Amino acid sequence: MQKIKVEKEVSKGRKNVIILLLGTLIAIGPFSIDTYLPAFKQIASDFKVDTSAIGITLTTYFIGIGLGQLAYGPLMDRYGRRRPLIAGLTLYIVTSVLCGLAWDLNSLAFFRFFMALGGCAGMVASKAVVRDYFDKDKVADVLSTLMLIMGVAPIIAPTVGSWLINSFHWEVVFYSLAAFATIMLVSVFYILPESAQPDPDTSLKPTKVFKEYASIYRNKDFFLFSTARGFAIGALLAYVASAPFIFIEFYGMEEDMFGYIFGGNAAGLILGSQINRLFLRRYTTFQITYAIGALMAILTTGILGYSIFFEAHFWVVYPGLFIMLFFIGFQNPNVTALSLQPFNLQAGSASALVGSVSMIFGSAASWLMAELLVDDLIPLLATVAVCAVCGFAAILVYRMRYAQGYAFAKAYSRHPYQVKHREVSKQ
């Protein structure tokens, strides 16, 4: 597939508009999750089920995202980025309306699955377009910018959702998401240019698609860094799925306060992603990833140990979760960039696979929370601690396999795509 180097062909202002649009497309994901979290009790009351049962609509959504990204990868390599993106947004709009019309829990879970299939088109396209537009040493920085834009969603979404369900009813949340996606669809038509020429040689036969994904996954860099990203997303989505239980049921907060508490914690994602951009000017992508991975493992195991031997006090758990999200704000753009670095012609499929791997981890984590969270926070704290430790283990394996010494000089001399490898090799 021939890439179109838009970076050299458009003005800086136009590139900024494109980045803003890409970040907003990614934000469809967290908006689709966080906006309806405050409505769990209201939905449960209407459908006459327990509040915890509504968690199945999160699980089906995560499964839809995971499977959908695998489909969009080869589609975006074969037909370019825009056409599958437009089709996905259209599907999202239709199924969002159907979610608002759902008549029971099963129908809502079913429509949420297809809503995810449509919404994940923006997630795949955004990462692939960034990989198309920008040089390899700028990808992590641009992805951090997207994290800034995307990070606004989990801050304001629960507050918006609380206002909608209090002023109207929970169905309006999904109608509002359909309206938001309609604006995105119009913006894609008029703002986003095609970044990669369609490649008719890309096969859509299931066996060939599977073989292509298998070849990508066998790449050692991709395998290790996508695994590290998967565990980071697993920790994040375990927290997201547990948030209504943590703050409303366990700590007894009002639904109106939930939006502020949840949004305040989500600000850690933005803060981490933007400080990461500053660190990238001085350190390599991998150096930051390694250090943050170690710190997150220490933090989460420390909170778990404290909560086991003492009380899971709010002022221990809440700041701890904030710092965890702060670290994930570092890790997400960095491990994504490191996962995609080895690929050029397969950028669309690699972008889809890295997202799908993450959603597999996230689906498992959210399902565990729905099954295990009953009357205390230990299952959540144990899950995020295991995710953090395992994610750091994948990063550590990369260091031991490719690097000698803490400066990682040989790793970066062997892999010229790494950020600032020349500067590191001189240290």
Side-chain angles (χ1 to χ4, degrees):
M1 174 177 287
Q2 179 183 359
K3 295 196 303 179
I4 303 172
K5 293 299 280 185
V6 177
E7 182 183 16
K8 298 178 181 179
E9 298 175 1
V10 301
S11 66
K12 182 178 179 180
R14 179 70 182 279
K15 285 189 293 184
N16 291 336
V17 171
I18 292 173
I19 291 173
L20 176 62
L21 175 58
L22 295 177
T24 309
L25 286 170
I26 293 180
I28 288 178
F31 256 115
S32 303
I33 298 168
D34 302 332
T35 308
Y36 91 122
L37 289 179
F40 269 32
K41 279 192 173 181
Q42 197 176 88
I43 297 173
S45 176
D46 282 2
F47 291 158
K48 296 179 174 55
V49 297
D50 294 334
T51 302
S52 60
I54 306 301
I56 190 64
T57 63
L58 279 175
T59 301
T60 57
Y61 185 84
F62 295 148
I63 292 172
I65 289 179
L67 295 177
Q69 289 182 91
L70 292 177
Y72 284 114
L75 286 172
M76 289 186 179
D77 285 338
R78 182 178 178 113
Y79 298 110
R81 314 307 188 201
R82 275 172 50 93
R83 290 165 65 185
L85 175 58
I86 290 170
L89 288 173
T90 303
L91 175 62
Y92 179 93
I93 293 167
V94 172
T95 50
S96 295
V97 174
L98 291 174
C99 284
L101 299 174
W103 53 90
D104 60 16
L105 180 59
N106 290 333
S107 62
L108 179 60
F110 178 79
F111 293 137
R112 287 279 291 174
F113 173 82
F114 287 97
M115 183 180 176
L117 288 181
C120 68
M123 301 169 64
V124 176
S126 295
K127 294 192 293 291
V129 169
V130 168
R131 184 64 183 81
D132 293 338
Y133 282 180
F134 298 93
D135 293 333
K136 294 178 180 179
D137 61 350
K138 297 181 181 179
V139 171
D141 183 70
V142 176
L143 287 174
S144 292
T145 304
L146 298 189
M147 283 291 294
L148 170 62
I149 301 167
M150 184 190 74
V152 175
I155 292 178
I156 66 174
T159 303
V160 172
S162 297
W163 178 80
L164 288 173
I165 65 173
N166 289 329
S167 301
F168 304 98
H169 205 58
W170 64 265
E171 296 94 336
V172 178
V173 170
F174 292 103
Y175 300 148
S176 300
L177 290 172
F180 174 67
T182 301
I183 296 173
M184 291 299 97
L185 180 61
V186 173
S187 299
V188 168
F189 267 112
Y190 291 101
I191 297 176
L192 186 67
E194 182 58 77
S195 63
Q197 295 289 1
D199 182 6
D201 294 331
T202 299
S203 175
L204 299 180
K205 293 182 179 179
T207 54
K208 290 188 177 181
V209 170
F210 177 80
K211 288 180 179 179
E212 181 178 15
Y213 278 131
S215 70
I216 294 171
Y217 198 64
R218 284 196 298 267
N219 180 281
K220 292 184 175 63
D221 290 19
F222 182 90
F223 174 77
L224 292 172
F225 290 121
S226 66
T227 298
R229 185 182 193 270
F231 279 116
I233 297 300
L236 173 63
L237 296 186
Y239 160 72
V240 170
S242 306
F245 172 83
I246 297 171
F247 299 120
I248 296 176
E249 295 192 22
F250 188 80
Y251 289 121
M253 295 182 177
E254 297 294 330
E255 292 180 0
D256 291 342
M257 282 297 298
F258 173 81
Y260 298 106
I261 294 294
F262 186 86
N265 247 359
L269 281 171
I270 296 180
L271 185 62
S273 66
Q274 298 315 294
I275 294 179
N276 178 58
R277 297 182 65 195
L278 300 178
F279 275 54
L280 285 169
R281 299 175 185 176
R282 181 174 178 85
Y283 303 101
T284 68
T285 309
F286 183 70
Q287 282 178 313
I288 299 171
T289 300
Y290 182 85
I292 294 297
L295 290 173
M296 190 159 73
I298 294 170
L299 169 74
T300 53
T301 53
I303 297 173
L304 173 62
Y306 182 91
S307 299
I308 290 174
F309 292 103
F310 302 98
E311 183 182 358
H313 194 276
F314 176 81
W315 291 112
V316 173
V317 174
Y318 183 67
L321 292 173
F322 176 89
I323 299 172
M324 182 191 76
L325 294 175
F326 172 75
F327 288 153
I328 293 174
F330 274 85
Q331 291 297 70
N332 191 24
N334 289 341
V335 290
T336 301
L338 291 169
S339 298
L340 299 180
Q341 291 287 17
F343 305 101
N344 187 6
L345 298 180
Q346 295 174 304
S349 295
S351 173
L353 186 57
V354 72
S356 182
V357 168
S358 298
M359 285 302 105
I360 290 172
F361 284 86
S363 299
S366 66
W367 177 81
L368 280 174
M369 294 304 96
E371 293 294 320
L372 300 179
L373 277 181
V374 179
D375 55 7
D376 63 57
L377 302 184
I378 298 302
L380 167 65
L381 300 178
T383 299
V384 298
V386 169
C387 286
V389 171
C390 291
F392 178 64
I395 298 168
L396 184 61
V397 168
Y398 179 88
R399 178 192 170 187
M400 296 173 64
R401 172 65 177 81
Y402 293 111
Q404 296 291 333
Y406 191 76
F408 311 112
K410 290 188 177 180
Y412 292 94
S413 62
R414 287 183 183 180
H415 296 272
Y417 55 78
Q418 297 287 5
V419 182
K420 297 183 179 179
H421 65 281
R422 292 191 178 90
E423 289 81 356
V424 175
S425 63
K426 292 179 183 177
Q427 293 177 1

